[in-house]
Amino acid sequence: MSNELSHLLLAATFAADKHRDQRRKNADASPYVNHPLAVATVLAIDGGVTDVDLLTAALLHDTVEDTATSNDEIVELFDSEVSDLVNEVTDDKTLPKQRRKQLQIENAPHKSDRAKQLKIADKICNVRDIDVASPANWDADRKVQYLDWAVSVIDGCRGVNQTLDELFDQTITEARDRLTA
């Protein structure tokens, strides 16, 4: 087995273990690990990304933010390049939610090209989830607010992967169309 494939499988296993007790907020309470797997898949399959460190970071992108995972663990098991990329897309959970959301908009244009692609893939997956499997307590207005915010974040990430840009636009359009149907 290639070293790169081993690296990706280790990251998927690590993410599955770290997120094992977490569930999405949708009505089915689907396993949270489905989300990082979907983000990595969007990058690789839809976005044509072959950068193993970026795909590894996609699998791990929520571990530091949402689990008891430290940056040191990521460095030790993977490397500092993966850890740096994970950190670049990690929100500071000590800040209020609205501030974190505003910082995503403000900081998006200043992210590395790799982090921008990861952000776009993450938002594509989140918008798809909001569209077809949203949290049970979200009404149409809250969904529209999320879509508007996601567009504001991604506007600062555009221009590094045209395919992902186009897929994000298509995903937003489809979600908006279903909300207004």
Side-chain angles (χ1 to χ4, degrees):
M1 186 180 315
S2 78
N3 188 39
E4 290 182 341
L5 184 55
S6 298
H7 200 69
L8 286 171
L9 290 172
L10 177 62
T13 302
F14 183 85
D17 181 56
K18 290 294 185 170
H19 293 295
R20 73 180 168 272
D21 295 326
Q22 295 177 321
R23 299 280 178 212
R24 298 293 279 179
K25 294 176 184 174
N26 59 21
D28 295 336
S30 58
Y32 189 88
V33 73
N34 292 354
H35 172 68
L37 289 168
V39 172
T41 300
V42 164
L43 282 168
I45 305 297
D46 298 314
V49 171
T50 58
D51 177 342
V52 173
D53 284 340
L54 176 51
L55 296 173
T56 300
L59 291 167
L60 303 172
H61 80 275
D62 281 337
T63 56
V64 173
E65 184 174 320
D66 293 338
T67 74
T69 302
S70 70
N71 295 326
D72 291 341
E73 279 182 276
I74 303 292
V75 171
E76 183 179 322
L77 286 171
F78 302 98
D79 59 35
S80 60
E81 193 166 340
V82 170
S83 176
D84 289 348
L85 190 49
V86 168
N87 286 330
E88 197 174 353
V89 297
T90 297
D91 285 349
D92 179 352
K93 288 290 221 89
T94 65
L95 298 174
K97 184 176 183 176
Q98 283 308 111
R99 181 65 184 139
R100 291 192 316 262
K101 290 179 81 169
Q102 184 59 38
L103 284 172
Q104 280 197 41
I105 295 167
E106 292 172 13
N107 294 334
H110 311 291
K111 301 281 184 200
S112 68
D113 286 353
R114 293 159 99 192
K116 287 178 180 180
Q117 290 178 87
L118 179 46
K119 273 285 185 198
I120 296 168
D122 183 40
K123 293 297 183 259
I124 288 168
C125 293
N126 287 344
V127 168
R128 286 176 175 170
D129 285 347
I130 297 298
D131 185 26
V132 298
S134 64
N137 61 342
W138 281 34
D139 62 15
D141 287 340
R142 183 148 182 208
K143 292 176 188 180
V144 168
Q145 288 173 5
Y146 183 89
L147 298 180
D148 291 344
W149 170 75
V151 168
S152 296
V153 173
I154 298 310
D155 282 348
C157 295
R158 293 180 177 278
V160 296
N161 185 319
Q162 183 178 350
T163 303
L164 289 176
D165 290 350
E166 291 170 0
L167 181 57
F168 178 79
D169 292 340
Q170 176 187 348
T171 304
I172 284 287
T173 298
E174 290 170 358
R176 287 191 195 284
D177 288 350
R178 272 191 272 284
L179 275 172
T180 59

